[in-house]
Amino acid sequence: MPVPQPFHISISDEDIADLHRRIDNTRWPDQLNDDNWSYGTDINYLKELVDYWRNDFDWRAAEARLNSFDHFLWGEEKKLHFIHQRSSHENATPLIITHGWPGSIVEFLDIIEPLTQPEKFGGKAEDAFHVVCPSLPGYGWSTASDQPGMNTEAIAKGQIKLMAELGYDSYLAQGGDWGAMVTRHIGKLDPDHCRGIHLNMVIAFPPKGVEDPMAGVTEAEMAALGDSGEFTKDGMGYFKIQSTRPQTLGYGLADSPVGLCGWLTEKFRSWTDCDGEIRNAISWDALLTNISLYWFTNTICSSTRLYFEDSNMAEVNEPLAVPTGAAIYPKELVRLPKTWIEASYDIVHFQTMEKGGHFAAMEQPTTFVTDLRAFRKTIEA
């Protein structure tokens, strides 16, 4: 296996011009008189956002910001892309952070420097991390697998190898969405090196062998279960499609930037703590940087295949022994009772946040970083 090679993001002028032409040639559908997104992405909002994407969004500025971090490709025929940002503090704690869908490494742009250079952001030298942010296989600049089976467990095995390749024999792992599943597998598969995991979307199961699994569940947690039930009923259409027919969906999303933008924008509006306006949670520039990454790398179809692959994994409901930190954000898609979480993980750090949703590092970077620092201190106490 070759050593990681430095990588520089460079989208051609031709690809940017092609994006603009495709936007200009959009054939828009009709819409009912519906301004609450009940049928899906609102056409008036999307037209305004796409106009901004076409005429005001500056990909070159976004590209420069991405390139301000240290990027690498690792592998032979199949390349794994990752940011590896080492702190100036040699004894910093190694940390691998994994994104999910429809996110990307863009989720972490506001937290990398506070993690690696904490003294610039109100922290101390001993708070520092060496940060590794991989792009999931088939996302961004990471090559998609050409064989079935690239599920979250297989991805975790690759990330364990990556941390070993980088010389980290002791590290922490963090994740949300698919990244939470990958991180759970890392903790299970590599307990000799992974000293702890931190999750901002915690998947757990009702405790086994208890007479009443709802015992100890608070009124607020019951309400959260109700929210999760509503999401399962009304918000999982994308999941069913991507878990069963991702290729069929991919033709439209790979060919139409407006189609792609509409598909992803609806998720950011629904999954962030934004009160119905995405810009209350993240900027349009951040949103469009993420969407543009999918567009320019043509990875929306390969990214959705992860739903198919993981849906075909056998479900494992066994407690995890590695020390675990849990951050519960109020607008996360799944918020499960603490008693369930404690039955599924060795919880050493548990924090309920006041604000934030599914894209925690993007929405609430300061809170996210502060909580990670607190988790690390717990692990090292």
Side-chain angles (χ1 to χ4, degrees):
M1 181 70 72
V3 299
Q5 297 297 314
F7 174 69
H8 183 81
I9 298 168
S10 180
I11 302 302
S12 71
D13 291 340
E14 290 77 9
D15 282 345
I16 296 172
D18 177 66
L19 168 64
H20 291 168
R21 281 194 299 270
R22 288 170 183 263
I23 291 175
D24 291 341
N25 291 328
T26 298
R27 184 172 69 170
W28 292 93
D30 67 329
Q31 177 174 288
L32 294 178
N33 185 19
D34 169 58
D35 59 2
N36 63 0
W37 296 57
S38 58
Y39 286 81
T41 305
D42 176 72
I43 193 170
N44 296 313
Y45 190 94
L46 188 59
K47 282 184 174 180
E48 185 180 355
L49 175 61
V50 167
D51 180 74
Y52 182 86
W53 193 13
R54 169 63 175 88
N55 297 304
D56 298 296
F57 174 71
D58 186 350
W59 168 256
R60 291 302 181 206
E63 187 178 71
R65 186 166 186 229
L66 284 161
N67 281 324
S68 69
F69 301 106
D70 298 329
H71 295 256
F72 297 87
L73 295 178
W74 179 56
E76 295 177 335
E77 291 184 7
K78 303 298 181 185
K79 305 290 188 183
L80 180 70
H81 164 258
F82 62 98
I83 293 174
H84 183 201
Q85 204 68 30
R86 287 185 58 85
S87 172
S88 60
H89 305 292
E90 192 60 32
N91 294 325
T93 301
L95 172 70
I96 183 167
I97 308 180
T98 308
H99 66 84
W101 187 93
S104 67
I105 57 165
V106 173
E107 292 182 59
F108 307 132
L109 298 186
D110 287 337
I111 66 170
I112 294 174
E113 192 174 7
L115 289 171
T116 57
Q117 304 298 333
E119 65 275 21
K120 295 182 180 179
F121 299 87
K124 300 177 181 178
E126 55 264 33
D127 295 324
F129 293 90
H130 300 307
V131 176
V132 180
C133 300
S135 293
L136 293 170
Y139 289 65
W141 293 275
S142 284
T143 309
S145 174
D146 56 6
Q147 299 294 325
M150 185 52 72
N151 53 38
T152 53
E153 183 177 31
I155 292 170
K157 291 176 180 177
Q159 293 195 359
I160 291 167
K161 291 179 181 178
L162 173 62
M163 293 304 277
E165 173 67 30
L166 296 177
Y168 295 133
D169 58 8
S170 176
Y171 62 91
L172 302 179
Q174 201 286 329
D177 193 82
W178 286 126
M181 303 298 291
V182 172
T183 298
R184 179 183 169 89
H185 286 303
I186 290 174
K188 177 185 176 182
L189 296 171
D190 196 27
D192 292 339
H193 304 102
C194 179
R195 294 186 295 117
I197 66 172
H198 181 279
L199 309 174
N200 59 279
M201 189 183 81
V202 188
I203 302 300
F205 303 91
K208 289 183 175 180
V210 299
E211 184 175 342
D212 180 10
M214 302 307 292
V217 176
T218 68
E219 187 175 330
E221 289 172 335
M222 285 295 295
L225 285 173
D227 291 343
S228 297
E230 284 297 313
F231 171 70
T232 300
K233 182 178 72 174
D234 189 55
M236 291 284 283
Y238 82 96
F239 190 100
K240 191 66 174 177
I241 294 170
Q242 294 179 178
S243 297
T244 58
R245 297 295 185 271
Q247 188 68 30
T248 306
L249 174 70
Y251 297 114
L253 299 188
D255 188 59
S256 168
V258 172
L260 174 66
C261 190
W263 191 250
L264 301 192
T265 295
E266 191 267 334
K267 300 298 173 270
F268 275 87
R269 181 182 182 271
S270 299
W271 297 357
T272 55
D273 190 359
C274 72
D275 295 322
E277 170 49 65
I278 293 171
R279 285 169 287 189
N280 290 332
I282 63 172
S283 69
W284 272 4
D285 284 326
L287 172 65
L288 291 170
T289 299
N290 184 72
I291 293 173
S292 296
L293 186 153
Y294 278 93
W295 176 260
F296 288 130
T297 59
N298 193 18
T299 52
I300 187 58
C301 186
S302 54
S303 76
T304 61
R305 284 201 292 268
L306 182 51
Y307 286 81
F308 186 99
E309 301 296 353
D310 236 56
S311 294
N312 286 283
M313 283 182 64
E315 186 175 277
V316 179
N317 183 9
E318 296 296 334
L320 192 67
V322 67
T324 301
I328 311 301
Y329 287 82
K331 295 299 182 180
E332 182 54 85
L333 305 180
V334 178
R335 305 187 309 282
L336 300 175
K338 187 177 182 182
T339 54
W340 295 16
I341 293 172
E342 289 175 334
S344 299
Y345 300 86
D346 176 17
I347 296 296
V348 299
H349 174 84
F350 190 93
Q351 186 66 43
T352 301
M353 303 303 185
E354 293 184 1
K355 190 170 180 58
H358 190 63
F359 305 95
M362 210 174 188
E363 297 178 57
Q364 297 293 323
T366 300
T367 301
F368 187 91
V369 168
T370 299
D371 191 59
L372 263 180
R373 291 174 183 169
F375 170 64
R376 185 195 61 81
K377 288 177 181 177
T378 300
I379 292 291
E380 297 182 353

